[in-house]
Amino acid sequence: MLDVMGVDRVEGPLLLLEGFGQAAYGEVVEVHGAGRVRLGEVLIASEDAAVIELWDDPAGLAPERLRVRLRGETLTAPVAEEMLGRVFDGLGRPRDGLPPPLAERRLDVHGRPIN
């Protein structure tokens, strides 16, 4: 994991890190700020910048006070037969009031390349 202090801009759900080329496309990030942790994903990664999409409300985020932690992995979701008939959010968290299932394995949510 790699931590970065401060971001250059917050534009709605997008964060811009200029002068930073150590992020990878599709990498999951944790954004620490305003008293909580939000998750997101690297949308654009180049040698000199990274654009991160937050999967949560960006209200109240001060760019200079944020800490971004790059996890070094893409988003995976638990999969198990006991998930059938249940309701989950986009990150694989139960929305039906029941406990998380015991995962038989985890799969990358992006799937396999088309080609």
Side-chain angles (χ1 to χ4, degrees):
M1 286 193 220
L2 178 65
D3 283 1
V4 178
M5 291 303 296
V7 299
D8 294 289
R9 282 192 313 215
V10 176
E11 297 282 336
L14 301 179
L15 307 178
L16 175 63
L17 291 171
E18 292 178 346
F20 184 78
Q22 298 179 33
Y25 172 75
E27 185 172 1
V28 175
V29 299
E30 298 172 1
V31 178
H32 299 255
R36 56 186 251 221
V37 178
R38 295 164 173 86
L39 292 177
E41 177 180 35
V42 176
L43 291 182
I44 299 172
S46 71
E47 291 180 9
D48 59 350
V51 176
I52 297 167
E53 176 187 25
L54 282 180
W55 295 329
D56 203 340
D57 184 11
L61 295 180
E64 66 281 354
R65 300 180 78 191
L66 295 179
R67 187 178 95 217
V68 177
R69 172 171 280 173
L70 293 111
R71 287 187 172 178
E73 60 188 20
T74 59
L75 183 64
T76 61
V79 292
E81 280 192 43
E82 67 181 84
M83 294 175 74
L84 295 173
R86 296 201 41 205
V87 179
F88 298 88
D89 69 9
L91 296 175
R93 298 176 295 205
R95 300 287 294 176
D96 55 10
L98 297 173
L102 295 174
E104 295 168 8
R105 60 187 182 148
R106 296 186 71 86
L107 297 177
D108 190 313
V109 299
H110 297 102
R112 294 185 176 157
I114 295 173
N115 295 346

